[in-house]
Amino acid sequence: MEIITGTSAQALDTEVALSKEVYTVEEHARNIIIQNEAQFKAAAEFGRSIKAKQAQVKEFFEPMRMSAKRAYDEVLSRKKQMLDPLEAAEKIVKQTMSEYRVEEERRRKVAEEAARKEAEEAAKQKLDEAAAFEKAGNYEAAAYAMSDAEVMDDYAKTGIAYAAPEKTAGVSSKKDWEIESVDSALVPVSVAGIEIRPVDIKAVLKLIRATKGAIQIPGIKVKETSVISIRK
């Protein structure tokens, strides 16, 4: 157990004495009855003594408060010095991961579009084959070619979806959008019943997110991003 000596012991004695004085004040205040001017003046005098005691308590604790604040501020400063590079590193890593996910999504869309066009072209070729077979009287081959054409046409219409990236432990991501540039002269007064002029960036982003990036607003250029979250 810590032994309090010197100034610390004196401070403790002062605090104990103040505590004894303070804890009787509220009860005294509750028992005050004012029925005449003398009692009113006595209450006022007691009120002034309360204010004086408040000042005494504040004066007593102020050095401790300031010392504690300096210690607290120093701890916060040391904490910040360590956290700043870690937070900067996390931001860099998440930005790099986000850029990878955006590029990966772009490549996936390109591949899906290429596959769709390939299926569309294949469907056309099969239709041409079916027509040629039918013209030649080979109805069975024409039927097979027509069936293949229908399959390819279905692929072309519904699209060919490539597998989503595998989940990574502790990591989640979601699509978001950023406004790259704004040409105020081209932006309409309102879109979908929401007034956005003068250009209200928050309202614009709300519309873009609500439509998952599908809405097109004249004068507003946006780009799709990926928001990365990392759990420990």
Side-chain angles (χ1 to χ4, degrees):
M1 186 174 95
E2 182 182 2
I3 299 175
I4 302 175
T5 60
T7 304
S8 297
Q10 292 172 5
L12 181 58
D13 289 342
T14 302
E15 184 173 350
V16 170
L18 278 172
S19 296
K20 289 179 180 178
E21 295 173 18
V22 165
Y23 289 137
T24 63
V25 171
E26 184 177 357
E27 187 63 28
H28 188 171
R30 292 183 186 280
N31 292 328
I32 288 178
I33 297 174
I34 301 176
Q35 294 179 328
N36 53 52
E37 281 299 313
Q39 290 175 336
F40 181 87
K41 289 180 180 180
E45 186 63 31
F46 181 60
R48 285 193 291 271
S49 72
I50 292 173
K51 297 296 290 184
K53 191 59 64 178
Q54 289 174 351
Q56 187 180 353
V57 169
K58 290 176 182 178
E59 182 181 359
F60 173 75
F61 281 105
E62 184 61 15
M64 299 183 202
R65 187 190 72 81
M66 291 300 297
S67 178
K69 184 178 184 304
R70 284 192 295 269
Y72 177 73
D73 289 344
E74 182 184 353
V75 169
L76 284 185
S77 177
R78 287 157 54 194
K79 174 185 173 184
K80 186 175 185 300
Q81 287 175 7
M82 289 191 183
L83 281 180
D84 281 354
L86 292 173
E87 290 173 355
E90 180 188 6
K91 186 176 181 180
I92 292 169
V93 169
K94 288 164 72 172
Q95 180 63 30
T96 304
M97 293 170 68
S98 173
E99 290 171 357
Y100 169 78
R101 277 284 180 257
V102 169
E103 178 60 18
E104 185 183 57
E105 177 70 5
R106 186 192 68 78
R107 290 177 179 174
R108 183 186 66 79
K109 288 180 178 178
V110 169
E112 287 180 356
E113 179 60 16
R116 187 193 68 77
K117 287 183 177 179
E118 185 178 345
E120 194 175 64
E121 183 62 29
K124 183 176 180 301
Q125 291 177 357
K126 287 296 179 181
L127 283 174
D128 291 342
E129 288 180 13
F133 282 133
E134 188 172 358
K135 187 175 181 179
N138 190 343
Y139 298 109
E140 184 177 357
Y144 279 121
M146 181 61 72
S147 178
D148 289 342
E150 290 174 355
V151 171
M152 292 297 103
D153 188 55
D154 284 341
Y155 272 123
K157 288 179 179 177
T158 60
I160 302 172
Y162 285 81
E166 293 182 6
K167 291 185 177 181
T168 303
V171 177
S172 62
S173 64
K174 66 176 183 179
K175 287 184 180 180
D176 199 8
W177 292 264
E178 293 178 356
I179 294 178
E180 285 192 300
S181 63
V182 176
D183 186 343
S184 299
L186 299 178
V187 178
V189 174
S190 65
V191 176
I194 298 177
E195 187 172 334
I196 60 173
R197 288 285 299 272
V199 180
D200 185 336
I201 298 299
K202 289 184 179 180
V204 170
L205 282 173
K206 184 177 179 181
L207 280 170
I208 293 169
R209 288 167 178 153
T211 61
K212 299 187 182 301
I215 195 169
Q216 298 294 316
I217 303 175
I220 304 288
K221 183 180 179 182
V222 302
K223 71 173 181 178
E224 185 177 305
T225 64
S226 178
V227 177
I228 301 293
S229 297
I230 301 176
R231 302 180 300 278
K232 63 178 181 179

